[in-house]
Amino acid sequence: APYEMIIIISFALYFISGWLLTKLLGIKPVSDERILKLVDEVKTQLGIKRRVKVGFVKAPILNAMAYGPFFDLRVAFIARDLSEFSDDDIRGIVAHELAHNARHHIIWLQFIASAEMIIKKALLLPATTLDYAAYEQKVPFVVYFIINYGILAFLLIFVRVLEGDADLQTKKAGYGKALAQALYKLEGFYQGVAGDFGLNVQLLTGKEYTEEEKERFLSEAAI
């Protein structure tokens, strides 16, 4: 049954996501004392008692992410060099990312995705669009399209709510200004080189921007 298999595989991937993403993305452990102390400070401020593994991916982009199941918390920075992140950048970014884990947002998304499969099975809708194309269906395509994308719209709104909640928890922990400054820097990058040339081109070519370009991109982000 495709519905049940999708639910089972989704939860299975969640439970091994820490190890799996570390291997797939080539995330290396961070030994920089400055970074580790800042992450530990933020973790304590958020009330997280479990150990947080800190990693780094060397790439010509600027970003960060928290990942892994609730019992295997991990955070990874993505940049050319860790020096690109100031202390406040790290505080703001890590607080936001770990807030997702502290509030169990990923688990909520897993249950929402499972509910999608339950709804589709109850309404006799195919589990995926590929299933609709592969087998004869009793439900008209227009009906399937409206319900399917209605569910997707709900998921997207729910994700934005979770992002807002992570921002709120970051602010309550005292890192609201630090997060705003970090997002300003990240947005400046994506507004700039990644926006002008496309993120895939940026990753493939490793194009670097000049100080003048950097100032222009940050100005555009501010606007």
Side-chain angles (χ1 to χ4, degrees):
Y3 310 94
E4 290 81 2
M5 286 303 298
I6 288 173
I7 292 172
I8 291 169
I9 291 171
S10 176
F11 273 96
L13 287 174
Y14 165 72
F15 284 115
I16 65 168
S17 60
W19 170 83
L20 185 62
L21 286 172
T22 296
K23 292 295 182 184
L24 289 176
L25 299 178
I27 299 171
K28 305 297 182 187
V30 169
S31 57
D32 188 317
E33 283 299 318
R34 175 181 77 99
I35 307 291
L36 296 177
K37 283 181 180 178
L38 288 168
V39 172
D40 195 57
E41 171 200 316
V42 172
K43 178 189 79 167
T44 303
Q45 198 71 11
L46 286 170
I48 297 173
K49 297 186 174 157
R50 296 181 300 279
R51 180 191 170 204
V52 176
K53 297 175 184 175
V54 185
F56 172 65
V57 178
K58 185 177 177 62
I61 61 174
L62 196 62
N63 216 324
M65 67 175 185
Y67 64 106
F70 66 90
F71 55 83
D72 183 22
L73 302 185
R74 304 180 188 224
V75 62
F77 297 96
I78 309 168
R80 292 181 188 277
D81 191 88
L82 282 170
S83 62
E84 293 190 46
F85 294 100
S86 70
D87 287 5
D88 273 349
D89 290 339
I90 291 167
R91 288 187 179 100
I93 292 169
V94 170
H96 172 89
E97 296 298 344
L98 289 183
H100 283 304
N101 280 330
R103 302 281 284 180
H104 306 298
H105 288 166
I106 303 301
I107 297 177
W108 277 106
L109 288 175
Q110 292 292 335
F111 282 114
I112 292 292
S114 299
E116 176 188 357
M117 290 297 108
I118 293 169
I119 291 169
K120 284 184 173 180
K121 185 170 185 178
L123 297 176
L124 301 178
L125 294 171
T128 68
T129 51
L130 290 176
D131 291 328
Y132 195 99
Y135 306 105
E136 185 178 347
Q137 304 293 334
K138 295 179 181 179
V139 180
F141 180 74
V142 173
V143 174
Y144 169 73
F145 182 89
I146 291 172
I147 295 175
N148 196 55
Y149 282 90
I151 293 171
L152 179 60
F154 171 78
L155 282 171
L156 290 174
I157 292 170
F158 191 72
V159 166
R160 298 316 305 166
V161 169
L162 296 183
E163 288 295 330
D165 184 56
D167 287 342
L168 180 60
Q169 301 311 312
T170 301
K171 183 179 178 181
K172 285 180 177 179
Y175 299 115
K177 185 177 179 181
L179 175 62
Q181 291 174 336
L183 292 175
Y184 176 58
K185 181 180 287 187
L186 295 179
E187 182 62 25
F189 169 79
Y190 287 100
Q191 182 86 17
V193 173
D196 283 357
F197 301 99
L199 187 56
N200 288 335
V201 172
Q202 171 70 8
L203 285 168
L204 289 169
T205 63
K207 179 182 179 350
E208 296 189 36
Y209 46 80
T210 64
E211 286 302 313
E212 292 77 12
E213 286 177 321
K214 185 176 180 180
E215 289 179 11
R216 176 168 63 84
F217 297 149
L218 288 173
S219 298
E220 291 173 357
I223 292 169

